Amino acid sequence: MTPPPRRVTQRDIARMAGVSQATVSLVLNNRTDADVRIAPETRDRVLQVIAETGYAADPAARRLASGFNRIIGVFTYEPAFPSGSRDFFHPFLLGIEEYAERVGCDLLLFTSAPVVDGRRRIFHQDNRLRLADGCILLGREIDGAELLRLNRDGFPYVAVGRRDDAGGPVPYVGADYASAVHRLAERALNLGHRRLTYVGMGTAAESSHDRRSGFHAGAAGAESARQITATAETADATVDDLRADGSTVAFVEDFATAVALESAARRKGLTVPGGLSVVTLGDPTVPVPTDITFTGFRIPREEMGRQAVEVLTGVIDGSAGGLQQRLLPCELVEGDTLGVPGSAADRR
C-alpha cells in the first residue's frame, strides 16, 4: 500500500522560496506591520510557491494567527537532552516539533528552572512561563502542587502522560498502559503461567499505577499475582526471589532491570523463556545495550507529542470544546522472552 503524500509545511515553502519560515508566516497572515517590511518581489515569490505546491494552512494555525504570540513552551522535569543516544524524551520532542511546525508555532524550552529537592520547578523567582501562550509538561512525575497552581491561575497547559486531578481535572495526552499490561498478563495466563510477579520501581507515578492496575486485572485468574520492587543492581537477588516463589514470568516496569534480570537468569542456569519469561512494560528510559527482542509494548511517544500540541492549541484558542484527556493505545511487541513455562527442572 502506497503511503499518503507528506503534507507540505511552512518550512518546505520557506526552503523552496529561499526565505525564512517567519517570512512565510507573515505572508500567509497578510501582516503589514510598520516594523516588518517584506519586499514585493519576496512576497510574490512566496505566494507563487504556495500556489504551485497547493499549500493549505492547518485550521489550527489559522485560528492561532491573531491575538497570540504563537509560542508554545516546553517544560521537562528531567533533563531533555542527556548524553545517551537512545534518549527517552527524544520521540516526544520530535512529535511536539512536527505539530508545532504544522500550525506555525515556535517552541520555547524552559531551561532556567531551579532544581529544588532534586526536581526542577516551574514556578520560581525568575519565572518566564508567560512568555509562551501555553506550555507542554514532560516528566515521569509532575509536581501536583504546580499543577494545582496552573489550574488556579488558568494558564493553558497540557501534560504528557495521564495525571491525577490537582484542584481540578488535568488536561493530558497519555499512553494506555493499563490496557497494554492487561493484554500481556492475559497472554501469559493463556500460555500456562500461573504464578506471575510484577517487578516495579517503587514510584508513585501515575504511569506506574496504571501498569500495576492493568497487571492485577489481567492476572485475576492466576494462582499468584504478586508485586515486588527491584533494580538492575539487584537482579541476581531478584532472580533468586522469583525462583523461591515459583514465579514463571516477571512483568518488569523498568527496561534496564528487565535486561539485567534476563542476563542474571541465564547466568544462574535458567532458560529464557522456558525457565523464566521476562516481559517489559515500556521503552528504555536510558541507553541499555542488548541484542534481545523482549516481549512487551512500545509507547506511542511521537504521537503523544503531536497530540499534546494539538490539544494545547485548542485550549489556547478556545476550540478544544471542553476538557481534553486522551489515552493512546500502545503497540504490543511479539518478542522472544514470553513463552510456555517449562518443567520444574527448567526452573531449578
Side-chain angles (χ1 to χ4, degrees), residues 2-337:
T2 303
R6 187 177 69 86
R7 183 188 184 98
V8 177
T9 66
Q10 288 190 26
R11 180 182 293 179
D12 297 324
I13 300 298
R15 175 179 52 79
M16 296 169 70
V19 299
S20 68
Q21 190 172 333
T23 298
V24 174
S25 179
L26 290 171
V27 172
L28 284 168
N29 295 319
N30 199 28
R31 289 275 298 277
T32 56
D33 303 25
D35 58 344
V36 179
R37 297 186 180 276
I38 300 176
E41 58 271 21
T42 300
R43 183 181 297 273
D44 290 343
R45 189 163 70 252
V46 172
L47 291 173
Q48 180 180 351
V49 173
I50 290 172
E52 291 174 351
T53 59
Y55 172 82
D58 189 281
R62 290 197 293 270
R63 290 195 302 269
L64 285 169
S66 60
F68 299 101
N69 295 323
R70 302 172 69 87
I71 296 176
I72 291 175
V74 178
F75 184 88
T76 63
Y77 280 84
E78 292 94 20
F81 303 106
S83 58
S85 59
R86 295 182 66 182
D87 168 35
F88 182 73
F89 282 118
H90 185 243
F92 291 118
L93 296 170
L94 284 178
I96 289 170
E97 179 188 36
E98 178 185 314
Y99 200 90
E101 179 190 338
R102 182 187 304 180
V103 297
C105 288
D106 292 314
L107 295 176
L108 175 61
L109 181 64
F110 294 106
T111 58
S112 63
V115 176
V116 179
D117 297 329
R119 302 284 294 168
R120 286 179 173 172
R121 293 289 180 262
I122 297 176
F123 296 104
H124 54 94
Q125 184 177 359
D126 199 22
N127 170 38
R128 298 184 177 92
L129 198 62
R130 295 283 176 180
L131 291 174
D133 298 313
C135 190
I136 293 173
L137 308 180
L138 279 164
R140 179 183 294 276
E141 296 184 62
I142 295 181
D143 192 308
E146 296 201 320
L147 292 176
L148 175 63
R149 182 168 174 181
L150 287 167
N151 279 339
R152 185 193 67 197
D153 294 350
F155 184 77
Y157 76 96
V158 173
V160 174
R162 188 191 71 78
R163 306 296 165 182
D164 294 330
D165 287 0
V170 173
Y172 61 73
V173 176
D176 191 356
Y177 296 122
S179 294
V181 180
H182 187 288
R183 291 166 62 190
L184 289 168
E186 285 187 330
R187 180 174 299 180
L189 291 181
N190 290 336
L191 287 171
H193 294 274
R194 292 295 174 261
R195 299 189 66 83
L196 292 67
T197 295
Y198 182 97
V199 183
M201 300 172 63
T203 72
E206 290 89 344
S207 57
S208 296
H209 174 273
D210 292 349
R211 287 175 168 93
R212 291 192 297 269
S213 65
F215 169 76
H216 288 295
E223 174 187 328
S224 171
R226 66 182 187 134
Q227 178 181 319
I228 63 173
T229 299
T231 65
E233 289 71 25
T234 63
D236 285 322
T238 302
V239 171
D240 291 339
D241 177 85
L242 293 169
R243 296 173 83 172
D245 176 71
S247 293
T248 57
V249 56
F251 291 78
V252 190
E253 188 174 325
D254 176 57
F255 191 88
T257 302
V259 173
L261 279 180
E262 192 277 340
S263 179
R266 292 187 184 278
R267 285 198 306 273
K268 290 176 177 290
L270 292 175
T271 60
V272 177
L276 177 67
S277 288
V278 180
V279 178
T280 59
L281 306 181
D283 302 307
T285 56
V286 295
V288 184
T290 180
D291 296 326
I292 296 169
T293 301
F294 282 87
T295 302
F297 61 80
R298 294 191 182 94
I299 304 168
R301 292 178 287 174
E302 279 195 43
E303 186 60 25
M304 288 167 68
R306 281 190 285 268
Q307 292 199 28
V309 179
E310 180 185 18
V311 170
L312 181 59
T313 55
V315 172
I316 292 170
D317 66 26
S319 67
L323 176 68
Q324 294 288 308
Q325 293 182 331
R326 304 180 182 181
L327 288 179
L328 308 185
C330 298
E331 177 191 358
L332 295 191
V333 176
E334 300 286 350
D336 304 322
T337 58

